Each structure stands twice: as C-alpha cells, then as structure tokens.
Amino acid sequence: MMQAVKTPAPLAERLPRLALFTLAVAACGWWSIHMALGPSGFSMLWIPSGILFGVLLTSPRGHWPAYLVCALLAFLASNLQRNGAGLLTLALSLCNLFDAWFAARLVTSRVGDVGQLASINRTLRVGGVATLLACTLSALAAATARQALMPQQHGFGVLFETWLASHALGMVIFGTLTVIARVEGRRMLGPPARRLELAATVALVAASTWLIFAQSALPVSFLLLPPLLLCVLRHRFSGFVPAMALIALIAAMATAAGHGPLVLGAGADDDVARSRMLQLFLLCCCWVAFPVASVLTERRVLTHRMARSEQQYRMLADYSRDLIIRIGPERSLDYISPSVTELLGWTREEYERARWELIHPEDVAILQNTMSPLYESGGMASIVYRCRHKQGHYIWLAANVRSARDGKGQPALVYSGRDVTSRIEAEQALEQQARRDPLTGLANRLLFDERLALALARGWRNRTRVGLLYIDVDHFKAINDTHGHAAGDHALREFALRLGGCIRSVDLAVRLGGDEFAVLVEDIATPQSPQFVADKLVAAMREPIRFEGIPLRISASIGIGMSGPGHSDAAALMRLADEALYQAKAAGRNTWRLAVAPTWPERASAS
C-alpha cells in the first residue's frame, strides 16, 4: 500500500515530531473543550480527531502506534481538566481515539495514496463514508458512557448528535487541512506569484467572518458565502481549507461565548439549539464550497493530464523517426511530423503541397481505396507503398492508418509510416533468388511453371496460342569430361547469354537443370514466331565459345511445341515440345523441330 510518507524513520529521530504532535493535539483539545463548549460538556467543534485523522492518513502504518499513544495522552490531558480523573475521562479519550483510527483504517484500505490528486474524488467519497461511520460509532459509545457515568440534564439523543456533528466537522475540515499540509507542504500555498493573493483572500474571509459574527441578525450569516466562494474559485482546495478552518474557529468561539447571529437566532439560553445552529451553519458552508473545490481540483488535474498527454504525444511525434500525419475530416493534413524531412527530404510545407504527386502512380489508387473506407466504418488498415524522395528515387513505406475523432467529434485519420525499403529490397532479392538459376541468372523451373500457367490462362481468354521451346546443349558431357566443370559452367553461362539475345523482352528464357533450357513465347499468331527464335539460336551457337583460350564448339537441339487456340493444358504443351525435341535429336542434332496442337495442320520442318 502506498502512503504519502514511505520511508519509516527511527523512533529516536521522530521524538521531537511526536512531542510537537502531542502538544498540538492537547492544545486543540483544550481549545475545543473550553472555547467551543456545547451542551453537557461536549464540544461543538472537535479539532484533535481531525488532526490525528490527517496524520494517520499520511503516515506509514508502522508509525501509527506511536501517534496513537501520543494522541491518547493528549486526549487524557484535555479531558482530565474538564471531567477529572476517572473512567469517564478514559472512555471519552478512547472514543476520541477510535473515530480517527477507524476512519483512517477504512480509507487506507481502499485508497492507495491519499495525496494523489488524480483520485481525489474517490478519496473524498471513501473518506466521507468512513468519517460518518466512525463518528457514528464513537458517538454511540461516548453518549452511552456520559449517560452512564455522569448523568446530565440533556438526553442521549442530544449527546449523540452533538458528538457526531462536532467530530465529523472536525475530521472533515481539519483532517483535510492536515492532509494537504503534510502532503503539499509549501505547495499548498499555491504558486509563489499567487501566495500574496491567497493570503489576502483568506484574510478577507476571516475579516468577513469576524464582522458577521459581531452582528445579531441570522440572515447576515449567509453573507459569508460570497467571500468563501471567491476564495475557493480563485485557489481551489488551497483556499477552501484555510478559509473553512478560520470560519469554523471564529464561528465556534463566538457562538460558545454567546455572540453572533446563530446565538440570537437559536435563543440566548438554549445551548443545544446554538450547537445545532453552529454545526448546521458549518455544514452548509462545507456543502456549498466543498463540491466547488472538488470540481475545480478535478478540472485542474484533467487539464494538467491533458496538457501532459499532449506534450508527450507531441514529443513522441516530433522526435520519432516514423512519419506521423494527422488527416482531418476534409482530408487535409492537420499535422505532419518533422521526420518527413529526414525520411523523404521534403519540408512539411513541401510535402503538404505535393502530397499525392509524391506517391508512385501505381500505388495512388491502392492508398486512396485503403484510407477512404476508414472515414465511414472506422478501424485500422495497413499498406505498403512507394513514395518519392526529394532526390528523385522512390522509397518503400509501411504505414498503419487508424481512424480517430477530432475535437469536434468528426472522423479523422492518424497515419504512422516508416521506411521499409531495405526490407522490401531484401524480400525482392530473396524472391529473385528463389525464382532464378544461380549459375546463369535465367528463370528456374519454379518461375517457369508460374509463367506457363499464366500464359496458358491468357491464351485461353484471348483465344491465342502459346509456344514452348525445349533446348538441350548437344554433347555437353564431353565438354565437362574433357575440359572440366569450370569450362562446362562457363559454356552454360555463355549459352544462356546468347539465348537471351535471341528472344523478345516479353519472352521467358529458363534453365530447367543441367544442360536443359526452355523458352516460353506468348501471343503467337503464326508458327513462324518460335521458328524465328530457334533459327536465331542455332545461328548464334555457330561461333565457338572461348574458355582460357580454348575454343568450345557447342550446338543445340530444339523442340518447339505450340498450343491450340484457347488451349490451357500445360502437360499437353510440354509433351508436344518434348516430342519435337526427340525428333530434332533423331535428325542429327543442331536443328529444331516443330509440333503443333490441332487446328493448324501438323507438320515437322527443319532449319
């Protein structure tokens, strides 16, 4: 459990403080008994329990026994002079001790730190209930003891209500004063620039109380509310607590002495009515001013919390390396973080003016279609897109866009993006490696299968043909056996290079494995298109490949398969190409053969 004072000090170091506490409680007890005396010897305003209550709330639980012992001694001393030595003095002192201890125990068990302004409303609610319950129990015990040990003219009900009201008011007013004084210290006086104003306002309340209680008309007492509210409005609890304490002290002394509007309003000789009038008056002052102070304090806490939250948000946004953008209801860029300069090279003004012009043309529609639904349905979306740097190149940004509400409740968006160019390029490189042959750089079988399926699907939709060339390097094993694998690898790389020079940019050259290659040709109108590629490759291989000064003569056997218009059977096309390749090898190699699916007359011709 957190308390305002967290580190217990040794008892020897606390002795001076305990002695001062004992004297203060004893002095306040003497004042309450002699200067605010009510019916049957009960005080109309009991201050000591309020001080003990506040001290217990702001002390570690381990310090409580010492404070309780000191308070009991002070209570005994205060009651001894009034009631003499006996059981009544002991009983009343224990009742005084009980209500402060029991209320503090209830509050600390349900509120972590009473000094936290953020939870002040909960603290006040718990404290109010605990005070009322504790004072009710102690009032029952005290009134019973007084009736049993020292019968008076006043009945049990008068004793009960006098004790209950005096202790509850004392604990609320002076308990709050003690808590604030111990938790805030000098800060309870407010900012240094406003302390003189606080002192003047409290002095105004004290002077007004003194003047009002020098009068005899009961309605005049309500003229105290304006200066009290002024003090509360200007200084919140820093004004309420000292002002209310002074009002209670002055009003109690004047009423006990038989002066003021409450005496004449109740009857000069009726001490019970005077006590009730005083306690009711103080209760009305608390009821009027206490909620105002509480609301203003809560408003201050919320204002500070909001200012701190905004400061933290702005600090995070301004110093984050991510690009933070707040997009308003009209799609305007209400905020752009300074990281836009580090990330993209543009100033905030330049980025706002250019905006959509900086997005890669292929990504504009994707970005707009992702963000627009968020205004209507809310939620969050993620997108990866390209944005132009001021130096002209594009970088990849990964963005999270979340819907929000602006200060007017209108839909808005919060954008957070970061540079993921390195990650995307690495992914693309890995994807490239997964679909490319490491020796020749040509497509591998994985990419070939994907592109063949796509080509046949397009051919089926467009009623066009697809051509497939299967290519084997003739007598490649002899090169490996004669000149070594290094020569074989060099020959394959050079063959792949010449093959790439014989096809269109839209065609796909593939190394299927070993000395087997393939070429995928799309949108064929006549058989001459793949035949042209085969003729070019046969011609290109007539020039020897040189390896370390050694000429390597290489030729190729080529089988050409052509699908029928709108056909989408990959296996059938590969069978055609494989059959044609077998025919080319059977014809003596270094040549090509063509196999065409039905629709065009099947024929086989040689280069």
Side-chain angles (χ1 to χ4, degrees):
M1 181 186 305
M2 296 178 59
Q3 297 291 338
V5 180
K6 298 179 182 178
T7 305
L11 181 61
E13 297 181 8
R14 294 188 286 123
L15 284 178
R17 184 177 299 176
L18 291 172
L20 182 62
F21 167 77
T22 305
L23 290 175
V25 172
C28 291
W30 181 89
W31 184 95
S32 299
I33 291 175
H34 292 83
M35 306 301 293
L37 187 62
S40 300
F42 279 3
S43 173
M44 294 185 292
L45 179 66
W46 185 250
I47 299 175
S49 291
I51 296 176
L52 176 59
F53 180 49
V55 169
L56 294 179
L57 287 178
T58 53
S59 300
R61 189 67 65 85
H63 288 183
W64 284 21
Y67 282 118
L68 291 172
V69 170
C70 292
L72 179 59
L73 294 176
F75 291 150
L76 288 171
S78 301
N79 284 291
L80 188 64
Q81 185 179 6
R82 175 69 186 177
N83 301 309
L87 291 178
L88 181 60
T89 296
L90 179 61
L92 295 181
S93 298
L94 290 175
C95 290
N96 290 328
L97 195 71
F98 171 79
D99 53 19
W101 168 82
F102 189 63
R105 186 66 182 264
L106 291 177
V107 172
T108 54
S109 64
R110 288 163 176 79
V111 178
D113 187 354
V114 297
Q116 287 293 329
L117 288 179
S119 58
I120 186 170
N121 281 338
R122 171 176 169 75
T123 303
L124 294 176
R125 288 194 301 270
V126 174
V129 173
T131 298
L132 183 60
L133 179 59
C135 291
T136 300
L137 295 177
S138 68
L140 288 171
T144 301
R146 189 60 179 252
Q147 282 288 89
L149 300 175
M150 188 180 290
Q152 299 287 329
Q153 62 177 350
H154 300 296
F156 178 87
V158 172
L159 296 175
F160 172 80
E161 68 177 69
T162 302
W163 179 286
L164 173 61
S166 66
H167 281 240
L169 286 171
M171 288 175 65
V172 168
I173 298 173
F174 293 93
T176 305
L177 175 62
T178 304
V179 169
I180 293 179
R182 284 173 61 86
V183 171
E184 296 292 322
R186 292 184 178 180
R187 290 179 299 175
M188 71 171 290
L189 301 177
R194 299 191 60 187
R195 288 177 182 176
L196 184 60
E197 179 189 351
L198 173 62
T201 310
V202 173
L204 174 64
V205 173
S208 301
T209 306
W210 190 267
L211 291 174
I212 287 171
F213 276 82
Q215 308 300 315
S216 58
L218 181 61
V220 176
S221 60
F222 294 98
L223 294 177
L224 187 58
L225 294 179
L228 175 60
L229 288 175
L230 173 64
C231 189
V232 172
L233 290 172
R234 294 293 298 168
H235 305 285
R236 297 177 295 276
F237 268 105
S238 297
F240 167 78
V241 174
M244 198 62 223
L246 287 174
I247 291 174
L249 292 173
I250 296 172
M253 285 192 299
T255 303
H259 305 300
L262 304 181
V263 174
L264 298 179
D269 298 328
D270 191 348
D271 57 349
V272 175
R274 282 188 297 169
S275 176
R276 290 172 177 171
M277 291 290 290
L278 172 66
Q279 293 167 346
L280 183 60
F281 173 74
L282 295 179
L283 185 60
C284 288
C285 290
C286 288
W287 272 347
V288 171
F290 199 86
V292 176
S294 175
V295 169
L296 291 177
T297 301
E298 184 179 18
R299 180 183 176 187
R300 176 193 175 194
V301 171
L302 292 176
T303 302
H304 286 182
R305 185 183 296 172
M306 184 177 297
R308 183 181 179 185
S309 177
E310 183 177 353
Q311 181 184 13
Q312 291 176 341
Y313 170 79
R314 183 166 291 275
M315 181 180 68
L316 290 174
D318 286 352
Y319 292 96
S320 173
R321 297 186 64 183
D322 293 352
L323 176 59
I324 310 295
I325 302 175
R326 189 169 61 244
I327 306 172
E330 304 299 327
R331 276 59 169 178
S332 59
L333 304 185
D334 296 341
Y335 172 81
I336 304 173
S337 63
S339 58
V340 67
T341 304
E342 178 183 355
L343 196 64
L344 296 171
W346 306 97
T347 65
R348 285 187 275 191
E349 293 76 14
E350 292 171 337
Y351 183 87
E352 185 175 7
R353 284 195 302 268
R355 198 175 180 183
W356 292 109
E357 298 176 5
L358 303 180
I359 310 301
H360 193 282
E362 296 178 1
D363 298 336
V364 171
I366 300 175
L367 190 61
Q368 290 177 337
N369 293 336
T370 300
M371 296 172 61
S372 295
L374 297 179
Y375 280 99
E376 300 176 1
S377 57
M380 187 186 74
S382 300
I383 186 173
V384 179
Y385 68 99
R386 288 159 290 182
C387 188
R388 180 159 52 87
H389 195 278
K390 192 172 185 178
Q391 296 178 356
H393 62 279
Y394 282 93
I395 68 171
W396 286 92
L397 295 177
N400 290 322
V401 186
R402 183 185 296 274
S403 63
R405 296 283 175 177
D406 63 8
K408 298 180 180 179
Q410 298 296 317
L413 300 179
V414 177
Y415 166 104
S416 174
R418 62 176 53 188
D419 183 2
V420 292
T421 304
S422 299
R423 190 194 79 191
I424 297 298
E425 290 178 347
E427 291 175 352
Q428 291 176 341
L430 289 174
E431 184 177 358
Q432 181 79 355
Q433 292 175 8
R435 287 169 169 75
R436 292 288 170 178
D437 175 58
L439 178 64
T440 63
L442 298 181
N444 61 12
R445 185 174 290 276
L446 175 62
L447 182 56
F448 167 72
D449 291 339
E450 293 174 353
R451 287 284 298 273
L452 178 59
L454 291 174
L456 290 171
R458 281 192 291 268
W460 182 82
R461 288 195 305 269
N462 302 327
R463 310 297 296 175
T464 57
R465 293 180 180 268
V466 176
L468 175 61
L469 284 70
Y470 269 178
I471 306 167
D472 272 3
V473 179
D474 296 332
H475 307 298
F476 177 73
K477 184 175 182 301
I479 296 176
N480 273 338
D481 294 343
T482 305
H483 303 287
H485 290 285
D489 290 346
H490 178 75
L492 291 176
R493 285 193 292 268
E494 181 63 25
F495 183 86
L497 184 63
R498 296 183 186 184
L499 175 61
C502 298
I503 63 177
R504 303 172 300 176
S505 60
V506 295
D507 299 332
L508 180 68
V510 184
R511 184 190 178 202
L512 299 175
D515 60 351
E516 299 177 358
F517 293 82
V519 174
L520 183 63
V521 184
E522 295 188 56
D523 298 326
I524 299 175
T526 64
Q528 281 70 36
S529 296
Q531 293 173 6
F532 179 72
V533 174
D535 286 334
K536 287 184 65 176
L537 180 58
V538 170
M541 298 311 300
R542 287 174 183 155
E543 182 180 353
I545 296 173
R546 306 197 68 83
F547 173 72
E548 296 180 354
I550 302 173
L552 304 176
R553 295 191 174 276
I554 292 179
S555 62
S557 299
I558 306 170
I560 306 173
M562 290 186 60
S563 68
H567 290 186
S568 58
D569 189 346
L573 179 59
M574 288 188 286
R575 282 196 300 270
L576 287 174
D578 194 56
E579 292 172 1
L581 176 61
Y582 177 79
Q583 296 172 10
K585 289 183 177 181
R589 302 178 185 270
N590 194 26
T591 187
W592 57 263
R593 289 291 184 270
L594 173 66
V596 182
T599 296
W600 284 339
E602 290 193 26
R603 64 187 180 87
S605 56
S607 61

